[in-house]
Amino acid sequence: NFYFQAGITWSDITGGKLSVRYFYYGHLFSSVGHGIFASGDQQKILLAVMNSKVCSEIMKIICPTLHYNVGDVAKIPIITEASQEARIETLVNQDISISRADWDSFETSWDFRTHPLLTNKKDSFSIEEAFFNWSGFAETQFNQLKQNEEEINRIFIEIYGLQDELTPEVEDKDITIRKADRERDIKSFISYAVGCMLGRYSLDEEGLVLAGGKFDPERYKASQADADGILPVLRNAYFDDDIVSKFVEFVKVTFGESTLATNLDYIADSLGRKANESARECIRRYFLKDFYKDHVQTYKKRPIYWLFTSGKEQGFNALIYLHRYDSSTVSRVRTDYLHPLQNKLEAEYERLNGVLVSEESPIEKNKATKRLKELSRQMEELRKYDEVIHNVADQQIEIDLDDGVVVNYAKFEQVLAKI
């Protein structure tokens, strides 16, 4: 009878301190994530005292193991003071608001709205300034939460009469909201951009725009989502909807054309640009080597973007969005991208053979020879991949989103990146 009611919860097993969290209506509790239910104001008091240093010390006595069982938690002696309850509730409500805002700034939150670099850009056309604004905001929130936690500790240390045993100070490592991190936040900005390219998000609306159902291109006016929902991720911009070209356009739309070069430099430097590498080359290298690994990690091996890939030579890669998949998607990946790419590589192969005949410069001949060897390996990889993807495409596989990522991904494991 308490299912879906608001309450507070904690994890049964933990190697750290007891950590109690508030959850809103519509959630469940279980034997590994227990629940406590009380009236609204009493919930907030319980949340405060159970997260305090006082309770942490008490639990060392009551429950000196890795398990925080219901019976043990029920033994916590709750002492409060009526004159302090209003102040405690104000602090708790503020802490919940700060923590929720932090969680909602990352796209894995159900209530994610837009990327923090965009919400904090203000009137700036500089990604660096937007990050500076976001960093300042996050630092302020962090310090406010820490200050509130220390005040809650101070209140309960006095109520329990433990002034000689405990101090209210809280270490930074015990504040669980995140400060800004340049590399992480630039990578998450790239992820958000890919979401806009594939139609999951839109600059015209907050939150999820497409997570199943019919794709409506009219909902993407500020920055158009890719028409077919397939983004080639290749070593060169062989297609108009090449992922790097689309990303550069996204940066131009969100931060302006006049600062585009500066912003791309900032992004590349954040990703770890190599010496003598242009910004676009660095961004392309990130998409080729690390973007999908980061995506799989972010979504705990349940990726919502799927990477078609021909193998270790990376002759062919293309991203699709799970929620835009239909039974013709694999066929379109093959006929609209794989086959045209094969033709382009063959043309490049013939051109470079011509260079070997006509070119006199040893340096240019060496470059052509090196690229020809690479092309030869890639073309052979694509030939074998075409046989495999042809078989999958002919099956016209249907998926049911309710089956989940693991079941659906397995149907295409021959042609997708391994997770």
Side-chain angles (χ1 to χ4, degrees):
N1 58 318
F2 289 104
Y3 270 11
F4 304 117
Q5 292 190 29
I8 58 179
T9 184
W10 74 95
S11 299
D12 180 271
I13 303 174
T14 176
K17 301 174 183 177
L18 178 66
S19 178
V20 187
R21 304 171 295 281
Y22 180 74
F23 61 89
Y24 292 84
Y25 293 99
H27 295 77
L28 298 178
F29 56 94
S30 72
S31 60
V32 293
H34 305 291
I36 297 176
F37 302 90
S39 62
D41 56 343
Q42 288 304 306
Q43 275 187 345
K44 303 299 171 61
I45 300 299
L46 287 172
L47 194 60
V49 67
M50 292 176 72
N51 278 320
S52 70
K53 291 182 78 171
V54 169
C55 185
S56 181
E57 291 302 308
I58 290 172
M59 291 307 290
K60 290 178 183 178
I61 302 168
I62 295 176
C63 189
T65 70
L66 294 177
H67 284 269
Y68 290 118
N69 297 312
V70 170
D72 294 324
V73 171
K75 294 176 184 175
I76 297 173
I78 303 297
I79 307 173
T80 186
E81 208 170 88
S83 62
Q84 295 281 14
E85 288 188 358
R87 178 58 183 159
I88 292 169
E89 190 172 355
T90 296
L91 291 169
V92 170
N93 284 332
Q94 190 174 32
D95 287 355
I96 290 173
S97 178
I98 290 172
S99 300
R100 188 171 187 178
D102 168 66
W103 179 247
D104 290 346
S105 67
F106 294 88
E107 67 177 66
T108 45
S109 166
W110 289 354
D111 297 311
F112 174 76
R113 293 289 179 264
T114 190
H115 195 273
L117 290 185
L118 296 181
T119 55
N120 289 275
K121 71 188 289 281
K122 300 180 181 178
D123 296 326
S124 174
F125 295 101
S126 164
I127 292 179
E128 184 175 10
E129 287 184 24
F131 176 77
F132 179 80
N133 294 339
W134 158 237
S135 180
F137 173 79
E139 184 77 23
T140 299
Q141 295 290 83
F142 184 94
N143 292 335
Q144 184 64 61
L145 185 59
K146 182 178 180 179
Q147 180 182 317
N148 288 0
E149 290 297 308
E150 290 178 342
E151 185 173 349
I152 288 172
N153 282 337
R154 198 158 26 245
I155 290 171
F156 281 107
I157 286 171
E158 290 179 4
I159 290 174
Y160 281 74
L162 296 173
Q163 295 92 329
D164 295 335
E165 285 78 20
L166 297 175
T167 60
E169 285 73 30
V170 176
E171 293 185 52
D172 282 2
K173 67 181 180 64
D174 293 325
I175 302 299
T176 55
I177 67 169
R178 291 162 284 194
K179 293 185 179 183
D181 180 281
R182 179 174 167 179
E183 181 181 350
R184 182 201 68 204
D185 294 335
I186 288 298
K187 286 181 176 180
S188 70
F189 176 71
I190 293 173
S191 177
Y192 176 71
V194 171
C196 291
M197 296 176 211
L198 289 172
R200 180 171 177 83
Y201 308 116
S202 170
L203 294 177
D204 302 306
E205 301 178 29
E206 290 188 335
L208 277 178
V209 174
L210 181 68
K214 187 178 179 181
F215 172 70
D216 180 5
E218 292 299 312
R219 300 178 72 180
Y220 310 89
K221 293 181 178 178
S223 179
Q224 291 185 345
D226 190 66
D228 61 8
I230 302 169
L231 292 175
V233 186
L234 305 170
R235 297 194 178 190
N236 291 294
Y238 291 109
F239 297 91
D240 291 340
D241 56 351
D242 166 71
I243 196 166
V244 176
S245 302
K246 294 278 287 185
F247 176 70
V248 169
E249 183 62 29
F250 181 83
V251 174
K252 186 190 300 184
V253 169
T254 51
F255 284 90
E257 187 170 5
S258 62
T259 55
L260 179 62
T262 302
N263 286 330
L264 292 180
D265 282 336
Y266 184 79
I267 291 169
D269 291 339
S270 302
L271 295 174
R273 176 164 33 177
K274 295 180 179 179
N276 301 319
E277 190 176 44
S278 72
R280 283 174 169 82
E281 287 171 343
C282 175
I283 293 167
R284 187 172 297 279
R285 177 169 56 83
Y286 173 69
F287 274 119
L288 279 168
K289 294 184 177 295
D290 296 317
F291 172 80
Y292 199 64
K293 287 189 292 186
D294 289 343
H295 176 69
V296 170
Q297 184 178 27
T298 297
Y299 281 84
K300 312 294 184 187
K301 295 193 175 183
R302 302 295 189 271
I304 55 171
Y305 310 135
W306 290 1
L307 183 67
F308 285 81
T309 182
S310 58
K312 67 177 183 179
E313 294 296 333
Q314 291 195 314
F316 177 79
N317 303 287
L319 277 178
I320 69 162
Y321 176 31
L322 168 62
H323 293 287
R324 288 183 69 182
Y325 174 89
D326 62 43
S327 59
S328 69
T329 298
V330 182
S331 294
R332 287 185 283 114
V333 169
R334 177 174 180 256
T335 58
D336 296 352
Y337 293 92
L338 178 59
H339 288 172
L341 178 63
Q342 287 178 298
N343 294 334
K344 292 173 188 288
L345 295 186
E346 287 170 7
E348 185 180 357
Y349 191 86
E350 292 300 321
R351 182 183 65 79
L352 289 174
N353 272 319
V355 169
L356 288 181
V357 174
S358 61
E359 183 61 56
E360 295 182 0
S361 168
I363 295 176
E364 293 304 318
K365 280 192 173 186
N366 286 338
K367 284 182 181 179
T369 300
K370 183 179 178 181
R371 177 59 179 153
L372 279 168
K373 289 179 180 178
E374 184 180 52
L375 278 172
S376 181
R377 294 193 301 268
Q378 289 179 344
M379 289 163 65
E380 178 60 19
E381 183 178 81
L382 296 192
R383 185 189 64 76
K384 293 178 180 178
Y385 185 67
D386 185 44
E387 293 175 2
V388 178
I389 199 172
H390 188 183
N391 179 50
V392 176
D394 284 349
Q395 295 177 47
Q396 297 285 292
I397 298 171
E398 299 279 358
I399 66 171
D400 184 343
L401 293 174
D402 290 337
D403 289 338
V405 170
V406 173
V407 170
N408 286 316
Y409 203 90
K411 297 175 182 178
F412 306 91
E413 60 184 357
Q414 294 174 291
V415 295
L416 296 177
K418 297 187 184 304
I419 60 170

